[in-house]
Amino acid sequence: MASSSVGMVSLLLVSWMVVPSLAKVYTVGDTPGWTTGVDYSTWTKDKTFKVGDSLVFNYPTSHTVDEVSSSDYSTCTVGNAITTDNSGATTVALKTAGTHYFICGVMGHCANGMKLSVKVESGSSAAPSKSPSSSSSSSPASTDKPSTSTPSTTTTTTKAPDSSSSWSLSPFMAVVATCLALLVLVIS
């Protein structure tokens, strides 16, 4: 009886360690990155974004990543960004469900296709992992109306992973989870 209780507790601990690491990291535009000449609607078509996932924008510093309202996205209005970054490597943590809108703030680039609309679903089993990089800005929810809620995204400048969608389960955490699972089997 006691060993089954220990087994259940161990199983819960393993799941709590593995589940937060299931957030996905998407490199916007894949290999070309954040640039003109990429169809970002097609790029998002087969992807499911969830709260806790991250978007990584890789681009030359001649571009920007601006999170904007729905109306500014539709009209490619620059100058009203909720957040903006031009570091060349921007990571946006998707913290809230809903549609998030991004454009390049360089005049004419949005009209030439440098715009991204991402529908984020709730129900993610993960929160974004902490990054050693500094946070450059926070933003309110992406809506046309002012918001007093907590920030929906955090923009962080980081070195991006090479893959467009990767699991962020570290090798160390995989070993720990495996050892704990084996321990559960031995104890049971």
Side-chain angles (χ1 to χ4, degrees):
M1 183 79 161
S3 67
S4 66
S5 295
V6 170
M8 289 302 290
V9 169
S10 298
L11 187 58
L12 282 172
L13 287 174
V14 169
S15 66
W16 283 339
M17 289 174 31
V18 173
V19 167
S21 60
L22 296 179
K24 290 186 177 182
V25 177
Y26 295 94
T27 300
V28 175
D30 296 323
T31 303
W34 183 238
T35 189
T36 55
V38 176
D39 182 354
Y40 295 103
S41 297
T42 300
W43 179 78
T44 59
K45 195 167 266 191
D46 63 343
K47 294 171 179 57
T48 302
F49 302 95
K50 295 192 176 196
V51 171
D53 291 346
S54 297
L55 299 175
V56 176
F57 293 82
N58 294 316
Y59 54 98
T61 56
S62 59
H63 296 299
T64 68
V65 176
D66 294 359
E67 184 173 7
V68 296
S69 67
S70 173
S71 62
D72 286 349
Y73 173 84
S74 297
T75 60
C76 286
T77 301
V78 297
N80 296 326
I82 298 166
T83 63
T84 188
D85 189 47
N86 65 349
S87 65
T90 305
T91 298
V92 177
L94 302 172
K95 293 184 174 184
T96 59
T99 305
H100 300 270
Y101 302 96
F102 303 93
I103 65 171
C104 178
V106 175
M107 195 62 71
H109 288 197
C110 176
N112 287 325
M114 266 186 95
K115 59 195 283 185
L116 172 67
S117 170
V118 175
K119 183 174 181 181
V120 180
E121 296 179 0
S122 62
S124 171
S125 56
S129 58
K130 300 272 187 212
S131 171
S133 302
S134 63
S135 176
S136 63
S137 61
S138 295
S139 66
S142 296
T143 62
D144 291 330
K145 299 174 187 169
S147 173
T148 57
S149 64
T150 57
S152 64
T153 57
T154 301
T155 305
T156 307
T157 303
T158 61
K159 176 72 176 138
D162 294 331
S163 159
S164 71
S165 174
S166 63
W167 294 100
S168 58
L169 179 63
S170 71
F172 173 75
M173 290 304 293
V175 169
V176 170
T178 303
C179 289
L180 283 174
L182 290 172
L183 179 63
V184 169
L185 290 174
V186 170
I187 291 174
S188 301

